[in-house]
Amino acid sequence: MAQSLELLLIQFLMPDNDARRQAEEQIKRLAKDPQVIPALIHHLRTAKTPNVRQLSAVLLRKKITGHWAKLSPQLRQLVKQSLIESITMEHSPPVRRASANVVSIVAKYAVPAGEWPDLLPFLFQCSQSAQEDHREVALILFSSLTETIGNAFRPHFADLQALLLKCLQDETSNRVRVAALKAVGSFLEFTQDGAEVVKFREFIPSILNVSRQCLASGEEDVAIIAFEIFDELIESPAPLLGDSVKSIVQFSLDVCSSQNLESNTRHQAIQIISWLAKYKSNSLKKHKLVIPILQVMCPLLAESANGDEDDDLAPDRAAAEVIDTMALNLSKHMFPPVFEFASLSSQSANPKYREASATVLGVISEGCLDLMKDKLEPILHIVLGALRDPEQMVRGAASFALGQFAEHLQPEIVSHYESVLPCILNALEDASDEVKEKSYYALAAFCENMGEEILPFLDPLMGKLLAALQNSPRNLQETCMSAIGSVAAAAEQAFVPYAERVLELMKNFMVLTNDEDLRSRARATELVGMVAMSVGRMKMEPILPPFIEAAISGFALEFSELREYTHGFFSNLAEIMDDGFTQYLPHVVPLAFSSCNLDDGSAVDIDESDDENINGFGGVSSDDEAHDEPRVRNISIRTGVLDEKAAATQALGLFALHTKGSYAPYLEESLKILVRHSGYFHEDVRLQAIIALKHMLTAAEAVFQGHNEGPAKAKEIIDTVMNIYIKTMAEDDDKEVVAQACMSTAEIIKDFGYMAVEPYMPQLVEATLVLLREESACQQQESDSDIDDNDTEHDEVLMDAVSDLLPAFAKSMGPHFAPTFATLFNPLMKFAKSSRPPQDRTMVVACLAEVAQDMGAPIAGYVDALMPLVLKELASSEATNRRNAAFCVGELCKNGGESTLKYPLGYLLVLIFSFIIFISSVTFSYVLGCLAIVGTEFNLSSTIHPEYLIILRH
């Protein structure tokens, strides 16, 4: 076989395609015989040309897995010995690397079986050789072996770390330093033990040195490995960076601001800053790195994109993502320097800087919403000015920013409608389609939260939107439809005069079948649902059939976004029709089931070895390859399918909620899907599953009412739902999902009473306790730096939902809540410290007021602990704080008994003070109600001068 195989290997390397194809067929046939292994070993060691030797090694790597078990002990020994010789004696670097890859495959089977005890000693010896080639190939092998026999290295981990650090600092060979850098990356990916990973902290200076040298010599692909290593270190929960975070940030900023480097290299550097902001934000604060980062990132927004550049790698887009992440995690530190940059740049002669000014304000609006709400006047001055800029790019950025403000700065932004809406109306007639498109987006977001304020603008708005809908290109029609939907939602019944015209136009869009038109069809389907919500059941029900028929037919077009929007359309119809939607359940529920059961469509990119880059090597394969485990480099998910699943999951819940008992035929299958989706990998789907599970309970109650087996069936379902909610509260890593589990639990207690949840109270209380202590999976803080109470921000998404659980418990249990409340009181009061944000304190006061109201007399034991807090909040400059405090005072007086007798004068003085000083903003009913309770409880009319009582009555 050896002689014929050699000829075939030579033929396979010929440029003639026919000759190569014939050789490939013959090699595939010979490769089925285990004797191909010794033949390939022979050519690996004796072939005259490096290409044939390299090809022999590549084929060995592919075939040896399937044949290894069939080889005799003598042949196995020959294979191992020959590979070691090839590694140490071969002159061609590609052949050495190819042989090293074969070693990693053989070691996968031989080392665990105890058949290659001298491999690791050989590698340690080789890595300390005087010959550069030996040191390099040993490090290459250490890299590849972590993927196949990583556990075998564990006893030698300390020695390996010392060796890798020494090789990173090799003064004579850049190749060795680069190989060591790659080996460090491989070991970090393999190592899970926190104590072992922490030891890599001391590698950071050497990694930075090697990376700088590689960049200087043009080896950007190698420098990128350093960013991959930093990525691993940043995402690890172990405290890995320490003071080195400063060096990493400086290196990353140097790279991302260097315009002579490749886009991908700069993007990797920017990404590291983004990961640091996401996972190690406290380290950035501790080392005062926020402003140095912004001094680089903000100007990057003004960098002109290279025409040949991938948009996803463009520095301005990547910088915007970093700033967004920083705003979400470091809002208090971000807003002042960003606002200063925006203010100065808005006056720049360079239009790119004026564009950056508006863009950056839009980008930070989600993270810095509270701070921006306080500065809306000057912010709108900048952005509305940019909307009138002579440059299209600046006007486009301003439209984008307004859309972001409308989405995130609610409700305060709506109060500026008189200045904002006319500007958006003007922008709808901009000469640039890009500006128009972004203006439709801004209009849609702005109108979504308006109410009757929109009425004076309704006629001119709809005139422009209907004209645009009929005379614009498809992309503008789509955003125009979104804007009409928001206008309809805001105008409600006032939209009726426009509904017929809009619905007539939508009929044309909902029958489009060309691929390029399906997104428009999806938007039209969504818009019909929104119009239906505005005009109501009576006007929609008679004209629904053709719309429903068109919506259902769209499922045959295999377009995920259309299916997603159609599920939303059916959800809207269920909401307005209630039991009238029952007739459509047999048609629409199977469609939702189908979307929920779709394959996720994961796309996996495999990192192929360097030695398969020779043309055609990948074609010579067999089923043996299934035993290899190539390294997964990247996993991406088709987000269209994910969004479709989320919409279908939401639809199932709303169908159940609104058709109740009629949903019986679909209840069991729906529950199976929701249980599965409650543990789904993406939080959007989990969130909808958590919401929908509560709706299933509502439907189940109606379904099983009056059934003999009803109570047992209902108990089974509530068991399932409550166990999922408790598990979610403790283990889910997404705050919004956990918050929804808390809110749904509170709703179940309210709707079904204490007896429904009584069996789960110990677990519920424990989960609530963990959340109040901020120890749940979704509250894990980075471990590189201490958390300073003075630097915390109110967790509106999660903690407001958690604090709602206590009043729910109190309302259902009454005075029996007292022992449980005693457990939760101190963890709750942690949020009332003076060092906590004001929103934390008002959350606590509101929670305590409701608990006092429903728990009754046992609250007396907490009066002394609560009064200093409540009296302080009564004097707050925030109206919400004062309202909550006044409510709390009233409930404490009503239920606190004799323990409150020492405080009446204090109540009255602070209440009167609040009433007089903040008369324009305090809600009178809260203060007057509180005064009435105080007066009644303490019979103050007998002790207060009559003239004061007259004042109070007025």
Side-chain angles (χ1 to χ4, degrees), residues 410 414 417 421 443-458 461-462 465 482-496 498 527 530-531 533-535:
Q410 295 292 344
V414 171
Y417 69 92
L421 265 184
L443 180 64
F446 196 84
C447 293
E448 195 171 318
N449 290 282
M450 291 184 73
E452 59 184 22
E453 302 97 338
I454 201 171
L455 299 183
F457 300 92
L458 193 54
L461 262 177
M462 288 307 300
L465 291 172
S482 292
I484 292 173
S486 293
V487 171
E492 296 182 341
Q493 285 295 306
F495 192 78
V496 170
Y498 310 96
L527 177 53
M530 296 181 79
V531 170
M533 291 283 286
S534 291
V535 302

Side-chain angles (χ1 to χ4, degrees), residues 601-742:
S602 300
V604 181
D605 299 329
I606 302 299
D607 179 37
E608 290 295 349
S609 181
D610 288 345
D611 54 35
E612 295 184 24
N613 291 335
I614 293 181
N615 292 337
F617 279 17
V620 186
S621 61
S622 75
D623 292 340
D624 299 339
E625 284 183 69
H627 297 280
D628 280 0
E629 295 181 4
R631 180 175 175 181
V632 176
R633 273 293 190 194
N634 182 48
I635 297 180
S636 60
I637 303 297
R638 292 203 304 269
T639 55
V641 171
L642 191 152
D643 293 337
E644 179 185 344
K645 280 194 178 214
T649 305
Q650 180 186 47
L652 291 178
L654 290 170
F655 296 162
L657 176 67
H658 293 287
T659 60
K660 296 184 172 63
S662 303
Y663 198 72
Y666 315 102
L667 189 60
E668 185 177 351
E669 182 61 25
S670 296
L671 278 167
K672 286 179 184 174
I673 289 170
L674 295 179
V675 169
R676 188 171 74 243
H677 281 186
S678 69
Y680 196 72
F681 79 92
H682 197 280
E683 62 273 12
D684 288 354
V685 176
R686 295 201 305 277
L687 177 65
Q688 295 305 330
I690 294 297
I691 296 170
L693 281 166
K694 165 62 174 63
H695 298 332
M696 290 296 152
L697 272 183
T698 303
E701 184 186 37
V703 168
F704 297 125
Q705 209 164 27
H707 286 214
N708 289 335
E709 297 179 357
K713 290 276 190 185
K715 174 73 167 61
E716 188 179 324
I717 293 175
I718 201 166
D719 272 347
T720 300
V721 173
M722 290 308 302
N723 284 325
I724 287 172
Y725 284 173
I726 291 164
K727 185 173 189 285
T728 298
M729 288 164 68
E731 298 178 15
D732 200 292
D733 61 1
D734 184 82
K735 289 185 176 182
E736 194 172 352
V737 176
V738 175
Q740 186 58 57
C742 294

Side-chain angles (χ1 to χ4, degrees), residues 34-229:
Q35 290 305 306
V36 75
I37 301 300
L40 287 170
I41 283 289
H42 173 73
H43 294 305
L44 171 65
R45 297 300 302 122
T46 62
K48 293 180 181 177
T49 62
N51 276 2
V52 173
R53 298 198 298 275
Q54 186 183 2
L55 179 55
S56 299
V58 171
L59 291 172
L60 266 171
R61 177 181 177 272
K62 286 180 173 290
K63 305 304 167 189
I64 202 158
T65 295
H67 292 316
W68 181 255
K70 305 167 193 171
L71 299 181
S72 66
Q74 293 79 12
L75 271 179
R76 291 185 186 184
Q77 186 59 33
L78 173 67
V79 169
K80 292 183 288 185
Q81 183 180 340
S82 299
L83 289 171
I84 295 297
E85 288 173 358
S86 178
I87 286 170
T88 52
M89 301 170 67
E90 173 65 57
H91 295 295
S92 166
V95 178
R96 280 200 308 274
R97 285 196 294 270
S99 298
N101 286 331
V102 183
V103 169
S104 68
I105 299 299
V106 172
K108 180 179 179 180
Y109 304 100
V111 171
E115 296 176 7
W116 208 348
D118 51 351
L119 176 61
L120 291 185
F122 162 74
L123 289 179
F124 275 106
Q125 180 184 345
C126 209
S127 64
Q128 298 178 65
S129 166
Q131 292 188 44
E132 177 186 35
D133 293 343
H134 290 179
R135 300 199 302 279
E136 181 189 26
V137 79
L139 290 164
I140 291 170
L141 263 170
F142 278 131
S143 293
S144 59
L145 286 171
T146 56
E147 297 173 30
T148 54
I149 59 163
N151 285 326
F153 290 130
R154 290 204 181 279
H156 311 282
F157 200 79
D159 293 335
L160 260 173
Q161 283 193 315
L163 172 67
L164 291 174
L165 186 57
K166 179 182 176 184
C167 291
L168 271 175
Q169 298 166 347
D170 193 304
E171 295 180 358
T172 60
S173 170
N174 187 53
R175 279 166 39 204
V176 171
R177 292 195 296 272
V178 168
L181 185 66
K182 293 178 179 178
V184 169
S186 296
F187 273 99
L188 262 176
E189 283 192 20
F190 166 76
T191 304
Q192 300 299 322
D193 184 271
E196 292 177 346
V197 177
V198 168
K199 295 174 185 173
F200 281 99
R201 180 191 284 187
E202 62 189 274
F203 284 53
I204 292 173
S206 298
I207 291 170
L208 289 170
N209 286 337
V210 174
S211 302
R212 290 186 190 280
Q213 290 161 4
C214 290
L215 287 175
S217 60
E219 296 176 273
E220 293 185 34
D221 57 328
V222 177
I224 285 174
I225 296 168
F227 292 122
E228 292 172 358
I229 291 171

Side-chain angles (χ1 to χ4, degrees), residues 907-908 911-912 915 926-936 952:
Y907 300 146
L908 279 174
L911 283 165
I912 294 167
F915 189 78
Y926 277 84
V927 175
L928 292 175
C930 179
L931 286 169
I933 293 169
V934 172
T936 302
L952 289 177

Side-chain angles (χ1 to χ4, degrees), residues 491-512:
E492 296 182 341
Q493 285 295 306
F495 192 78
V496 170
Y498 310 96
E500 185 178 352
R501 179 74 182 123
V502 171
L503 292 172
E504 199 61 38
L505 288 169
M506 291 307 101
K507 283 182 182 175
N508 300 325
F509 284 100
M510 286 183 71
V511 294
L512 298 173

